Amino acid sequence: MLKTKPVLLLITLSVTCALSASAQTDTLKKDTVKIDTAVLNKYRIDSRKNAIPTRTRPVQIQREQVPVTMLDYKVNYWKKAVTFGLNFSQSAFSNNYSSGGVSAVALGSNFIYHTEYNKAPFSYVSELNLTYGVSKNKGQGKRKTNDRIYFDNKVASQLSKSWYFFGALTFESQFDKGYNYVDQGNGKFEQQYISNFMSPGYTTESVGFEYKPTGWFDLRLGTGTARQTFVLDHKIHIKKQDNYGVDTLKTVKNDLAFQVVALLDKDIAKNVHLNTRYALFIPYGQSPKFITHRVDMVITAKVNRLISATVNGTFLYDRHTSDEAQGYEGLGLGMLYRFP
């Protein structure tokens, strides 16, 4: 009995599995649809081929004239520059200051107006330079430290790359009265009146050749130069017996001469500018001792946009003003404005 039951169980399981498999196969046959691919091909749409033949051509590059209307621009042949400087210094001491000293105030100013016109072969340059300085020491009163009016005009026509034919007109004088202070030996000074506006004053007309290889160097050779020396104040000759070479009964003296003027205006370092002018005047028909030399130099070092340090210097040898060479030097720290 025990052995017969397992055999019957196995037979029952086998029959159940076979019936289940037969039922699944019948179900698949009912859900599956056969498709004929040959029938689908007649519904296929192929892309149409390009019926127009195309040809590729090599790329050709050629120049074409494009019409352009003229720009409404105007060329400005003028160049202008203005420089203004103001220097101030002050010192004060108490009456019992152990090291000694004198309270003083000093003020110096400088104004330069420079303009140029360049349109080859013609050029024009004009420069106005005004300088004035004054100081006041305690117990001594006001004294000038610098005083000059200089106005130069030059017209030139280009002959070659570096040579020009030029004509120039220059005026030079001073603003205020000038005095010579003579020590009397007792702490007092004698004030001698020796100069004033147009006493002396100079006008110079010069014609010649100019050599200008660069924009910062200029050499003039004035083969035909005339200069007029003016002394309009007849009191000058009392303390200035030579009267600047002018006859005391007259107010003007004419000289014909050969003149050389060299100009150098250049940045010699970063924020450091040098302006130098040398003038040589050789009068015709006079002794060589009356040859005049003058050097004017200005060095400007900019600290920032407005503050700068300025060194001014002048060397002059002129027998009509002094028997010996003359010199001036000034150092100032102040404001400097340049436009543009």
Side-chain angles (χ1 to χ4, degrees), residues 124-340:
Y124 168 74
V125 178
S126 177
E127 181 175 316
L128 175 64
N129 193 329
L130 308 177
T131 304
Y132 188 79
V134 63
S135 67
K136 186 179 185 305
N137 296 338
K138 184 178 180 181
Q140 295 182 351
K142 183 185 72 173
R143 296 185 180 183
K144 287 196 304 183
T145 57
N146 205 355
D147 188 4
R148 190 187 185 201
I149 302 173
Y150 177 77
F151 187 36
D152 180 58
N153 297 271
K154 183 197 68 174
V155 178
S157 179
Q158 190 170 12
L159 301 176
S160 63
K161 181 179 179 181
S162 301
W163 285 95
Y164 297 78
F165 179 76
F166 82 93
L169 174 63
T170 304
F171 171 76
E172 186 175 358
S173 187
Q174 62 188 44
F175 288 101
D176 201 1
K177 293 180 179 181
Y179 298 91
N180 186 27
Y181 298 90
V182 179
D183 190 356
Q184 300 296 312
N186 55 357
K188 297 183 178 180
F189 293 86
E190 179 188 359
Q191 185 174 271
Q192 299 179 349
Y193 177 48
I194 59 172
S195 64
N196 200 352
F197 176 72
M198 292 300 291
S199 298
Y202 304 94
T203 58
T204 305
E205 305 85 25
S206 184
V207 176
F209 299 94
E210 178 186 30
Y211 176 65
K212 192 172 183 179
T214 64
W216 50 267
F217 179 75
D218 184 358
L219 177 65
R220 304 182 195 175
L221 304 176
T223 54
T225 301
R227 183 172 73 176
Q228 296 80 43
T229 304
F230 297 89
V231 179
L232 304 183
D233 192 339
H234 293 285
K235 296 180 181 179
I236 297 295
H237 76 277
I238 297 176
K239 295 298 181 180
K240 196 72 175 176
Q241 296 182 359
D242 183 73
N243 204 41
Y244 298 100
V246 180
D247 192 328
T248 55
L249 301 177
K250 300 179 180 180
T251 57
V252 62
K253 175 189 175 184
N254 292 288
D255 290 307
L256 295 177
F258 174 78
Q259 186 183 46
V260 177
V261 177
L263 303 172
L264 191 151
D265 191 3
K266 184 181 181 182
D267 291 330
I268 57 176
K270 185 178 180 181
N271 296 331
V272 180
H273 186 80
L274 171 65
N275 183 284
T276 304
R277 182 180 184 270
Y278 167 71
L280 170 67
F281 189 83
I282 306 176
Y284 296 138
Q286 297 187 29
S287 172
K289 68 179 182 179
F290 292 108
I291 296 175
T292 301
H293 302 266
R294 179 172 181 133
V295 180
D296 294 285
M297 181 186 67
V298 178
I299 299 177
T300 305
K302 296 192 68 174
V303 178
N304 54 34
R305 187 173 179 270
L306 290 178
I307 305 301
S308 67
T310 304
V311 179
N312 296 308
T314 298
F315 170 83
L316 174 64
Y317 178 79
D318 186 355
R319 291 295 295 269
H320 289 303
T321 58
S322 177
D323 292 335
E324 299 179 354
Q326 307 168 60
Y328 160 79
E329 181 270 332
L331 172 64
L333 179 65
M335 180 188 72
L336 179 69
Y337 178 76
R338 181 176 296 171
F339 177 83

Side-chain angles (χ1 to χ4, degrees), residues 23-35:
Q24 290 181 358
T25 301
D26 292 341
T27 303
L28 290 174
K29 288 181 179 181
K30 292 179 180 179
D31 296 337
T32 302
V33 179
K34 293 183 179 180
I35 298 175

Side-chain angles (χ1 to χ4, degrees), residues 91-103:
S91 61
F93 301 86
S94 63
N95 294 330
N96 60 344
Y97 189 67
S98 60
S99 298
V102 177
S103 299

Side-chain angles (χ1 to χ4, degrees), residues 30-63:
K30 292 179 180 179
D31 296 337
T32 302
V33 179
K34 293 183 179 180
I35 298 175
D36 189 358
T37 56
V39 177
L40 293 177
N41 288 336
K42 65 180 181 179
Y43 297 105
R44 186 187 301 273
I45 301 175
D46 296 330
S47 58
R48 186 179 177 185
K49 296 183 178 180
N50 191 355
I52 301 176
T54 58
R55 292 184 299 172
T56 58
R57 295 181 180 180
V59 179
Q60 295 182 357
I61 300 175
Q62 60 183 5
R63 183 178 299 175

